[in-house]
Amino acid sequence: MNELFTPSGSLPETAALQFLCNFSTIIMFFIFTRAITELRFKKRITIIISALYYVVIFMLSIFFLPSGDQGLSLWSILFTAFLPTIILLHITSRGSFFQIVTMWSIGIIFFYVITLSGLYVRLANHSVIADLLVRIIIFVPILILVFRFIRKPALEFTHSIHKYWSFIWLLPFSIAVLLTYLIYSPINILIYPGNIPPAVALLAISIFSIAVLYLIFRETGNSIRHQRDGELMKTQLEAQKKQFVLQEENIRLTKMYRHDMRHHIAVISDFLQKGETQKALLYLHKTQSSLENMTLEAFCSHSAANAVLSSYHTAALQKGIDMCIHAEIPDKLSIDETELCAVLANCVENAVCACANLPAQKQIDILVKYTPGVLAIQIKNPYTGTIDFDNEGLPLSTHPEGGIGIRSVLMIVQKYSGVLTITADDGIYTIRVVLNEIKK
């Protein structure tokens, strides 16, 4: 049996400390890997599942603690805690099989770096407490660095890369397998005193490999952000183009209205001079109906936003969708006109597309409220099926290139230090956007 976790000379009462030291490192491994993987369930559910899971693992580990042994052996840790933790990661993580394998392989390298660092300290002074303190001292700053620098690019990397995970996992997994072999080998290669220098070199190589993966994550994340910036610009340009087309159409209709007005006035005057009041009134009604069809419906004072709302209102009516709009948007805002139109266009278009496929109850409710300095938008529409959300609270698209529009909205919201919340409850999909005006 490998006695790596049972240095000679340790006292019997240190067995519990050794057990807690090893078990706490397993939890560190889980937290580290959990930080760089996407949740399958909501955070609260994941915490409850993980807590209950580890209570069971803890009890199993106690039962498997060898009677009379000075501590918990590696083989006991492997089967009662380590492998179950990997299974837990697959249960609670979203992504393909190889995506999750890649992340927990990186976590295993991290686990061995912490474990061996503590063990080398224990070999020097036979202190389990010193071993545990070293592991904690290493774990805390690494975890802070992960949340500060690695988590975001890692998640962006997993969101963007779909085709190459069957190859990406090989590098971290191979290093993790090599470290596992060296630690589990009967001759204790990594902790034999004469092998400590090459063991340290191997750990340095492992850390270097993690650094390389981090650089890949970071550069890929930068590339994704540039791509999203381009998509945002494209969305804004499309919204601006649609706005200009609507304004040009409105100008054209206004010119037509003015051109025909003289004719309409002459006809009505002729009817009145002849005393044909009923004919004059009938002609007025026909003219009014014609003018209503020629002009944009006024939903708010902001001309650009009104053009967008009017456009989608017309499109919704053509698809048999009832759209109720209550919008209070002043004509002057410290919010970029194109970005405001991009937010409205993306959110309303998603609602129209969702309702277009429904057999009944096609109803969209749009509410826009303005208070000095803050513009709040709420859009509700019915939906069928289930909608899953990622860690950012954004709905997951079923299309490989989907979700760009809502991420464009998120980027605009972040620019204005606002809030974006999306919920899907009881068959109603609700998106709420709060934009804060930029103080000049």
Side-chain angles (χ1 to χ4, degrees):
M1 179 68 67
N2 192 320
E3 300 298 331
L4 177 59
F5 282 81
T6 314
S8 60
S10 58
L11 297 176
E13 58 265 23
T14 64
L17 283 176
Q18 292 175 359
F19 169 77
L20 292 175
C21 181
N22 297 326
F23 196 82
S24 65
T25 310
I26 293 291
I27 296 178
M28 293 178 193
F29 158 70
F30 175 76
I31 295 174
F32 176 90
T33 310
R34 177 76 281 151
I36 58 176
T37 52
E38 187 176 359
L39 295 177
R40 181 187 297 272
F41 311 108
K42 293 182 179 179
K43 186 180 297 185
R44 180 180 298 179
I45 295 176
T46 302
I47 292 174
I48 293 174
I49 292 175
S50 302
L52 294 176
Y53 199 87
Y54 271 109
V55 168
V56 175
I57 292 177
F58 185 83
M59 299 303 297
L60 286 174
S61 299
I62 292 177
F63 281 120
F64 276 90
L65 183 65
S67 177
D69 203 328
Q70 300 294 330
L72 187 63
S73 70
L74 280 176
W75 291 105
S76 178
I77 276 283
L78 174 65
F79 291 107
T80 62
F82 208 86
L83 291 181
T85 296
I86 291 176
I87 295 173
L88 176 62
L89 288 167
H90 279 276
I91 293 173
T92 59
S93 300
R94 184 188 302 279
S96 69
F97 175 80
F98 288 115
Q99 283 179 338
I100 302 172
V101 170
T102 301
M103 297 309 173
W104 61 249
S105 296
I106 296 174
I108 287 177
I109 299 172
F110 159 81
F111 167 81
Y112 287 144
V113 169
I114 289 183
T115 300
L116 292 175
S117 299
L119 285 174
Y120 292 153
V121 172
R122 193 197 302 185
L123 286 173
N125 56 24
H126 300 291
S127 172
V128 180
I129 295 178
D131 180 356
L132 179 59
L133 288 176
V134 167
R135 298 187 192 196
I136 294 174
I137 290 172
I138 295 176
F139 169 73
V140 172
I142 288 180
L143 189 65
I144 293 173
L145 291 174
V146 166
F147 277 98
R148 178 67 179 84
F149 299 105
I150 299 178
R151 174 178 167 81
K152 185 175 180 179
L155 293 177
E156 288 180 340
F157 186 81
T158 57
H159 287 156
S160 61
I161 304 299
H162 302 283
K163 300 179 181 179
Y164 306 107
W165 286 105
S166 56
F167 303 100
I168 294 173
W169 70 279
L170 290 173
L171 174 60
F173 183 78
S174 299
I175 297 174
V177 169
L178 176 61
L179 288 173
T180 303
Y181 168 75
L182 295 177
I183 288 180
Y184 279 85
S185 61
I187 58 175
N188 296 339
I189 295 176
L190 289 185
I191 67 164
Y192 188 75
N195 291 337
I196 289 181
V200 172
L202 179 59
L203 289 177
I205 294 174
S206 302
I207 295 173
F208 175 76
S209 67
I210 294 178
V212 170
L213 287 172
Y214 163 69
L215 291 175
I216 293 174
F217 290 162
R218 189 187 67 180
E219 294 304 315
T220 304
N222 291 335
S223 176
I224 294 168
R225 280 189 289 273
H226 292 154
Q227 180 182 357
R228 287 178 181 171
D229 288 342
E231 294 293 341
L232 174 59
M233 185 176 295
K234 181 180 178 181
T235 302
Q236 291 175 339
L237 289 174
E238 289 177 352
Q240 193 173 36
K241 181 180 178 181
K242 182 175 292 187
Q243 172 190 338
F244 288 155
V245 169
L246 289 169
Q247 289 178 342
E248 288 178 356
E249 179 67 11
N250 197 25
I251 291 171
R252 185 186 68 83
L253 293 175
T254 302
K255 289 180 178 179
M256 185 184 301
Y257 164 77
R258 289 177 178 176
H259 178 268
D260 293 342
M261 183 55 64
R262 294 179 183 177
H263 171 73
H264 295 317
I265 293 174
V267 172
I268 293 172
S269 297
D270 183 65
F271 282 139
L272 292 175
Q273 288 175 0
K274 294 178 180 180
E276 297 176 343
T277 307
Q278 292 299 325
K279 289 185 178 181
L281 290 174
L282 181 61
Y283 191 88
L284 275 173
H285 287 307
K286 290 182 178 180
T287 303
Q288 182 180 3
S289 177
S290 177
L291 289 176
E292 288 176 352
N293 294 330
M294 292 171 59
T295 57
L296 293 174
E297 189 168 352
F299 294 107
C300 62
S301 301
H302 195 286
S303 59
N306 187 74
V308 173
L309 293 173
S310 179
S311 172
Y312 283 104
H313 182 263
T314 302
L317 292 178
Q318 292 174 349
K319 296 180 180 180
I321 302 171
D322 293 329
M323 182 178 289
C324 181
I325 302 176
H326 297 284
E328 298 175 3
I329 310 176
D331 57 346
K332 292 182 179 180
L333 282 173
S334 296
I335 298 174
D336 183 81
E337 184 176 277
T338 305
E339 291 173 338
L340 173 60
C341 290
V343 170
L344 289 172
N346 278 306
C347 296
V348 179
E349 183 176 21
N350 288 343
V352 172
C353 291
C355 286
N357 299 322
L358 295 178
Q361 295 182 343
K362 299 182 178 183
Q363 172 76 34
I364 299 175
D365 295 313
I366 301 174
L367 177 63
V368 186
K369 289 284 187 180
Y370 175 77
T371 55
V374 180
L375 184 70
I377 302 170
Q378 176 180 279
I379 300 173
K380 292 185 176 183
N381 63 270
Y383 73 94
T384 56
T386 58
I387 299 178
D388 295 322
F389 294 85
D390 61 18
N391 287 337
E392 297 177 284
L394 301 181
L396 293 171
S397 175
T398 55
H399 304 286
E401 302 299 327
I404 294 176
I406 203 66
R407 289 195 173 274
S408 298
V409 173
L410 178 61
M411 292 178 66
I412 296 173
V413 169
Q414 291 172 343
K415 175 181 175 180
Y416 290 92
S417 302
V419 178
L420 170 65
T421 57
I422 303 174
T423 59
D425 298 311
D426 299 326
I428 300 297
Y429 180 92
T430 305
I431 180 167
R432 296 181 178 90
V433 177
V434 177
L435 300 176
N436 296 302
E437 288 189 280
I438 297 176
K439 297 180 180 179
K440 297 182 178 180

